[in-house]
């Protein structure tokens, strides 16, 4: 009992001493007043910044930008507007953003669905310029929101028929690139213009993209067969290059690069969604071309696959010029302004020049040569990210790889499936798929090697959490 009483007395004495110290120690110290976590604005400010970031992400994702690049841009925008502890999640057709506010307030989460795809390279460049001005402190959130509203609601810089001319000029350039005669390139121009106008009408009627691809493949093949039967093509020309050029144009709208970039960046759900879209649209194109060839066979008409290009310095120079014209035409179809048109043409010439040199001067096969050429385009994209300016990096990426798309290889596989049998056609279609993957992987690698290094996201968040509230 004596030991227990002594222990109780010690506890009471210690409690009295602690109470006395607390009562006579004065006001709490600055350390006790310091809250946990970073300082965050009020609810209205948080909602305003999150809505601004969501609108920026919507434009980027709908324009074909990868999920990784879209996420990084949204995080930079949020941090520049005073929200350093933000998470972004993208799953192909949806964007979710969450602002964490420590232990003093509940997190704020917002989600938006991206149900459309629209290629407007001018709008993309204007949005990128707005993000840069916010990061430099030239715009606050209110000014950035107003500028973004103006950029998104503004009409296209060119009439819609200019985009049709761009797609048609792309097809004509691809035909010349593949060795077509002028009459064949002119036919490719007219057939592709028809495909674009019909596709626009079907889109206005609400036709799904799969059926628009089917119709596009059938028009490319059927129109060429009709011109061939009418005797438009003189002897010695290769009418099948018209279908190959049209196939290249229809393939150029697929987000192969974005799918591979998402997979490499560990955005597997988004990559799987893009891959499913690519597979479905490619199947639609295959269906349309094969149906067109089958109809031609029923009337005794065939479009044999064109022979390979002859080697030579003259042919190489023409091909490089055609590649530059094709890339610039693709940028024009995406409503790019003159400065991006020049950058796109240079990227296309550099990419095809690398491919042609490796194909003719070395033992590189088509897959390896295409991958190496795509690395050159990717490096140009990364350097453009470092420099900034009015040219969106996506312009160089998409336009630079367009002349390298396996349109002729894909048509050869489709022809073999329709005429020669299943085995050979599957091999050739697989080769076209390998070329497409080499394109996407090469661009991703080149962009990664040359782009500016971003700080690790976790370290940025940890540093922000350690900043005290003043």
């Amino acid at each position: 009992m004596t030991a227990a009483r002594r222990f109780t007395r010690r506890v009471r004495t210690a409690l009295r001493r602690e109470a006395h110290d607390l009562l006579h120690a004065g006001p709490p110290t600055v350390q006790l007043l310091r809250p946990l976590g970073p300082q965050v604005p009020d609810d209205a400010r948080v909602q305003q910044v999150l809505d601004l970031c969501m609108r920026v992400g919507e434009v980027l994702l709908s324009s074909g930008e990868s999920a990784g690049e879209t996420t990084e841009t949204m995080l930079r925008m949020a941090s520049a507007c005073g929200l350093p502890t933000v998470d972004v999640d993208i799953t192909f057709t949806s964007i979710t953003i969450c602002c964490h506010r420590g232990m003093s307030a509940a997190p704020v989460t917002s989600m938006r669905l991206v149900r459309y795809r629209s290629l407007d390279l001018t709008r993309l460049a204007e949005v990128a310029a707005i993000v840069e001005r916010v990061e430099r402190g030239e715009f606050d959130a209110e000014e950035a929101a107003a500028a973004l509203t103006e950029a998104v609601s503004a009409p296209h810089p060119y009439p819609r028929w200019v985009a049709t001319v761009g797609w048609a000029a792309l097809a004509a350039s691809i035909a010349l690139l593949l060795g077509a005669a002028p009459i064949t390139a002119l036919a490719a121009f007219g057939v592709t213009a028809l495909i674009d106008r019909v596709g626009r009408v079907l889109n206005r009627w609400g036709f799904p993209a799969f059926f628009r691809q089917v119709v596009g493949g059938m028009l490319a093949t059927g129109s060429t067969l009709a011109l061939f039967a009418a005797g438009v093509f003189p002897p010695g020309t290769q009418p099948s290059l018209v279908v190959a050029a049209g196939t290249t144009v229809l393939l150029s709208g697929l987000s192969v690069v974005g799918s591979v970039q998402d997979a490499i960046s560990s955005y597997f759900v988004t990559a799987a969604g893009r891959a499913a879209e690519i597979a479905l649209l490619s199947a639609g194109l295959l269906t349309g071309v094969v149906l067109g060839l089958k109809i031609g066979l029923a009337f005794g008409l065939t479009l044999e696959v064109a022979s390979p290009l002859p080697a030579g310095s003259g042919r190489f120079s023409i091909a490089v010029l055609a590649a530059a014209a094709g890339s610039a035409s693709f940028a024009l179809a995406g409503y790019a302004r003159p400065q991006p048109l020049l950058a796109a043409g240079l990227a296309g010439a550099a990419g095809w020049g690398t491919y042609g040199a490796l194909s003719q001067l070395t033992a590189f096969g088509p897959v390896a040569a295409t991958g190496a050429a795509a690395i050159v385009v990717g490096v140009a994209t990364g350097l453009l990210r470092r420099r900034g300016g009015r040219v969106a990096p996506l312009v160089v990426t998409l336009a630079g790889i367009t002349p390298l798309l396996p349109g002729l290889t894909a048509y050869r596989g489709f022809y073999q499936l329709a005429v020669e049998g299943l085995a050979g056609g599957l091999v050739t279609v697989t080769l076209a798929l390998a070329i497409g993957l080499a394109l996407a992987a090469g661009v991703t690698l080149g962009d990664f090697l040359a782009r500016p290094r971003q700080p690790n996201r976790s370290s940025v968040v940890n540093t922000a959490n350690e900043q005290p509230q003043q």
Side-chain angles (χ1 to χ4, degrees):
M1 293 294 295
T2 303
R5 289 175 181 172
R6 283 198 297 268
F7 176 76
T8 303
R9 190 179 298 113
R10 288 174 186 164
V11 172
R12 289 175 180 173
T13 302
L15 291 176
R16 290 192 191 101
R17 187 180 300 113
E18 291 291 335
H20 180 274
D21 293 341
L22 289 174
L23 290 174
H24 296 82
T29 62
V30 176
Q31 184 67 30
L32 291 176
L33 287 173
R34 181 177 297 169
L36 298 177
Q39 181 183 9
V40 295
D42 57 14
D43 289 351
R45 174 71 174 181
V46 171
Q47 290 287 359
Q48 182 186 39
V49 175
L50 293 188
D51 181 72
L52 175 63
C53 295
M54 293 286 280
R55 293 169 63 193
V56 169
E58 183 179 13
V59 173
L60 296 179
L61 195 64
S62 64
S63 299
E65 191 65 87
S66 66
E69 184 63 30
T70 302
T71 299
E72 288 297 328
T73 303
M74 294 176 65
L75 293 177
R76 296 200 318 269
M77 172 71 85
S79 179
C81 293
L83 301 183
T85 52
V86 168
D87 285 330
V88 176
D89 180 45
I90 297 177
T91 56
F92 186 47
T93 58
S94 67
I95 304 175
T96 304
I97 187 170
C98 177
C99 175
H100 302 281
R101 301 192 288 177
M103 300 176 63
S104 59
V108 178
T109 302
S110 179
M111 188 190 75
R112 181 168 297 184
L113 296 180
V114 182
R115 300 184 180 274
Y116 67 92
R117 296 289 186 270
S118 176
L119 182 62
D120 189 332
L121 299 176
T122 297
R123 180 181 301 166
L124 187 65
E126 291 177 353
V127 171
I130 292 172
V131 174
E132 290 181 1
R133 299 190 69 176
V134 171
E135 290 182 299
R136 291 196 301 263
E138 299 176 6
F139 275 172
D140 57 16
E142 292 82 1
E143 293 171 333
L148 184 61
T149 299
E150 183 179 355
V152 172
S153 59
H156 295 304
Y158 308 122
R160 182 60 181 82
W161 63 265
V162 175
T164 300
V165 172
W167 292 121
L170 170 60
S173 300
I174 295 299
L176 292 174
L177 178 68
L178 297 175
I183 184 63
T184 307
L186 183 61
F189 184 97
V191 169
T192 304
L194 175 64
I195 293 173
D196 181 73
R197 300 312 297 182
V198 172
R200 179 170 171 78
V201 172
L202 295 179
N203 184 45
R204 191 183 302 119
W205 290 349
F207 268 61
F210 173 82
F211 296 108
R212 296 202 301 269
Q213 288 288 97
V214 173
V215 173
M218 289 187 64
L219 281 176
T221 309
S223 300
T224 306
L225 285 169
L227 293 175
F228 177 66
V232 173
F233 301 104
T237 57
Q238 303 180 95
S240 62
L241 293 179
V242 176
V243 185
T247 301
T248 302
V249 173
L250 293 171
L251 287 174
S252 64
L254 306 186
S255 55
V256 180
V257 174
S259 176
V260 174
Q261 286 179 332
D262 291 341
I264 293 176
S265 303
S266 299
Y267 291 89
F268 299 115
V269 175
T270 307
R274 290 184 190 268
E277 180 187 47
I278 293 168
L280 184 65
L281 296 183
S282 299
L285 178 59
L286 167 65
T287 302
V289 173
V290 171
L291 284 176
L293 291 173
K294 290 289 188 181
I295 294 174
L297 287 175
F299 288 94
L301 299 173
T302 58
L303 295 174
E304 297 182 357
V305 182
S307 58
L309 282 175
S313 58
R315 177 67 251 174
F316 180 80
S317 302
I318 294 175
V320 171
L321 291 176
S327 296
S329 299
F330 176 87
L332 179 64
Y335 301 103
R337 296 192 184 275
Q339 185 178 356
L341 290 180
L342 178 60
L346 293 175
W352 180 263
T354 304
Y355 171 81
L358 292 176
S359 300
Q360 295 183 14
L361 304 179
T362 67
F364 276 47
V367 178
T370 302
I375 291 177
V376 174
V377 177
V379 169
T381 303
L383 294 177
L384 191 61
R385 294 188 194 278
R386 288 179 177 271
R387 177 179 175 272
R390 297 291 296 174
V391 180
L394 193 62
V395 175
V396 176
T397 300
L398 297 179
I401 67 170
T402 298
L404 301 170
L405 289 171
L408 182 58
T409 305
Y411 173 69
R412 183 181 292 112
F414 299 162
Y415 178 86
Q416 291 172 344
L417 287 174
V419 178
E420 299 178 3
L422 185 63
L426 288 178
V427 172
T428 308
V429 170
T430 303
L431 176 60
L433 176 62
I435 293 174
L437 293 177
L439 269 177
V443 168
T444 303
L445 176 60
D447 187 12
F448 175 78
L449 294 175
R451 69 185 301 157
R453 291 292 173 261
Q454 300 291 340
N456 184 273
R457 175 63 183 162
S458 59
S459 64
V460 173
V461 173
N462 290 337
T463 303
N465 288 335
E466 293 171 1
Q467 299 299 322
Q469 180 180 5
Q470 302 298 331

